[in-house]
């Protein structure tokens, strides 16, 4: 019987499991009596020769993490500590071990992970980094192993939302002004998809967060994000003294037609 070949993803997962087993085995190794009581054992893993004072490192790390805690309760403290594990210089990891950078996940979680914790410089770095990846008004959905995928309809609108929240928290209008060209490119791309009622209508499979389903036409949450983007861009233009009349006109249309199109008498749903 021929041996079934494993895919690359299956091989990577098998390797990750073996690494977990090694870590678990190491953690269970010190069973000798000399490790019990006041004694301790320290493991340090590095690709370079290093000399680490574990207690000093732990002290500094706890001090750094404590600065993230915006409300001194045990629950919030644990959340803030845990959130730190997902943040990198260029983005927010969507989940361990299998996921890398997801644009949608990054921009939805950025206000909670970086703004409430006052990590404003890191938020700026991430917004700037992803802004440079904007391609014809589209933000990447995923970045993995050097491959960038632009297969999402809502990621770009979530980017605008995260810029909006950054401005609300920091009042850093100069930084946001520097992102205006990116924001404008996103809006211009979506304007191409605007129907006569001001709402976004698009074609394509699996472009929303429900990426196992075919959802196109006029999608309820996409147009909610569109309304928010129009509102923010109009107010930003007023602030920067730019011409935002087009955004205001579309905003008025969406406000007038959103409920008509999406409310079915009991709840909101798509209008395909």
């Amino acid at each position: 019987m021929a041996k079934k070949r494993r895919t690359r993803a299956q091989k990577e997962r098998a390797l990750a499991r073996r690494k977990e087993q090694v870590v678990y085995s190491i953690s269970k190794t010190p069973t000798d009596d000399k490790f019990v009581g006041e004694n301790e054992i320290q493991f340090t893993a590095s690709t370079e020769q290093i000399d680490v004072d574990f207690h000093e490192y732990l002290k500094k790390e706890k001090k750094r993490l404590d600065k993230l805690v915006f409300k001194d309760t045990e629950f919030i403290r644990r959340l803030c500590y845990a959130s730190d594990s997902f943040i990198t210089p260029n983005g927010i990891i969507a989940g361990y071990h299998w996921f890398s950078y997801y644009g949608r996940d990054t921009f939805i979680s950025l206000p909670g992970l970086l703004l409430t914790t006052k990590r404003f410089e890191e938020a700026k770095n991430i917004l700037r980094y992803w802004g440079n990846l904007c391609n014809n008004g589209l933000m990447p959905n995923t970045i993995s192993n050097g491959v960038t995928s632009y297969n999402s309809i809502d990621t770009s609108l979530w980017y605008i939302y995260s810029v909006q929240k950054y401005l609300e928290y920091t009042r850093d209008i100069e930084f946001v002004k520097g992102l205006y060209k990116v924001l404008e490119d996103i809006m211009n791309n979506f304007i191409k998809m605007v129907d006569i009622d001001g709402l976004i209508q698009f074609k394509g499979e699996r472009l929303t967060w429900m990426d196992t389903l075919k959802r196109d036409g006029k999608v309820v949450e996409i147009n909610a994000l569109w309304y928010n983007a129009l509102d923010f861009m109009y107010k930003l233009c007023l602030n920067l003294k730019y011409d935002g009349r087009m955004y205001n006109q579309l905003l008025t249309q969406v406000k007038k037609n959103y409920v008509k199109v999406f409310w079915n008498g009991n709840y909101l749903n798509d209008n395909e």
Side-chain angles (χ1 to χ4, degrees):
M1 183 176 178
K3 185 177 180 180
K4 186 176 180 181
R5 296 183 64 182
R6 293 187 298 178
T7 65
R8 180 177 177 180
Q10 288 172 328
K11 290 178 181 178
E12 289 176 350
R13 293 180 183 182
L15 177 61
R17 283 195 294 270
R18 286 198 293 273
K19 289 178 180 177
E20 289 174 352
Q21 291 166 0
V22 169
V23 172
Y24 179 78
S25 298
I26 291 175
S27 68
K28 290 296 183 180
T29 299
T31 56
D32 193 274
D33 288 343
K34 66 182 179 180
F35 294 117
V36 177
E38 297 298 321
N39 298 294
E40 63 182 40
I41 186 169
Q42 175 182 332
F43 288 99
T44 304
S46 176
T47 57
E48 302 173 355
Q49 183 67 34
I50 58 174
D51 183 18
V52 177
D53 182 331
F54 177 74
H55 294 290
E56 186 62 27
Y57 172 80
L58 195 63
K59 185 178 178 181
K60 289 181 179 179
E61 186 67 1
K62 187 176 186 303
K63 186 177 180 180
R64 182 184 72 84
L65 291 173
D66 281 343
K67 291 180 180 179
L68 308 179
V69 180
F70 57 91
K71 186 177 181 181
D72 195 14
T73 67
E74 184 64 20
F75 178 67
I76 295 297
R77 183 176 297 276
R78 288 177 179 271
L79 283 180
C80 291
Y81 283 9
S83 72
D84 187 66
S85 302
F86 296 89
I87 298 165
T88 75
N90 294 331
I92 298 170
I93 299 295
Y96 294 104
H97 327 287
W98 319 130
F99 300 132
S100 53
Y101 296 124
Y102 277 66
R104 180 186 296 115
D105 300 57
T106 292
F107 305 136
I108 291 174
S109 61
L110 186 146
L113 298 188
L114 296 179
L115 300 182
T116 60
T117 55
K118 294 182 171 58
R119 302 176 76 155
F120 301 135
E121 284 302 315
E122 288 158 289
K124 284 171 67 173
N125 290 338
I126 289 174
L127 291 172
R128 188 184 295 114
Y129 175 80
W130 285 76
N132 290 333
L133 296 174
C134 187
N135 185 8
N136 294 320
L138 282 178
M139 281 289 167
N141 182 34
T142 61
I143 304 174
S144 181
N145 297 321
V147 178
T148 306
S149 301
Y150 292 85
N151 56 337
S152 165
I153 189 70
D154 59 325
T155 299
S156 303
L157 296 173
W158 280 117
Y159 179 83
I160 291 178
Y161 168 80
S162 64
V163 173
Q164 173 188 358
K165 300 307 288 186
Y166 173 83
L167 184 59
E168 287 179 11
Y169 272 86
T170 66
R171 304 299 178 190
D172 186 358
I173 189 65
E174 286 303 312
F175 174 74
V176 173
K177 183 178 180 180
L179 298 176
Y180 186 83
K181 180 63 170 63
V182 177
L183 302 175
E184 186 178 44
D185 285 348
I186 292 172
M187 297 301 288
N188 287 341
N189 180 55
F190 275 91
I191 285 171
K192 297 174 186 176
M193 296 179 262
V194 168
D195 198 8
I196 192 170
D197 54 10
L199 298 168
I200 297 295
Q201 181 170 278
F202 67 95
K203 291 289 185 182
E205 294 188 19
R206 301 176 181 177
L207 298 179
T208 72
W209 67 275
M210 300 172 69
D211 55 9
T212 60
L213 299 177
K214 181 182 183 300
R215 295 177 71 212
D216 58 11
K218 294 177 182 176
V219 175
V220 60
E221 80 276 8
I222 302 303
N223 278 283
L225 287 166
W226 173 235
Y227 178 84
N228 178 74
L230 289 168
D231 183 61
F232 172 66
M233 290 297 290
Y234 173 59
K235 291 174 181 175
L236 181 62
C237 285
L238 290 178
N239 197 328
L240 297 174
K241 295 182 170 49
Y242 294 164
D243 185 358
R245 285 175 294 177
M246 177 177 59
Y247 299 136
N248 191 39
Q249 289 167 5
L250 287 168
L251 181 67
T252 302
Q253 278 188 283
V254 175
K255 187 173 183 178
K256 177 182 177 182
N257 294 310
Y258 187 89
V259 172
K260 291 180 182 178
V261 172
F262 295 112
W263 182 253
N264 68 6
N266 296 299
Y267 52 83
L268 295 166
N269 61 195
D270 293 347
N271 185 292
E272 298 182 2

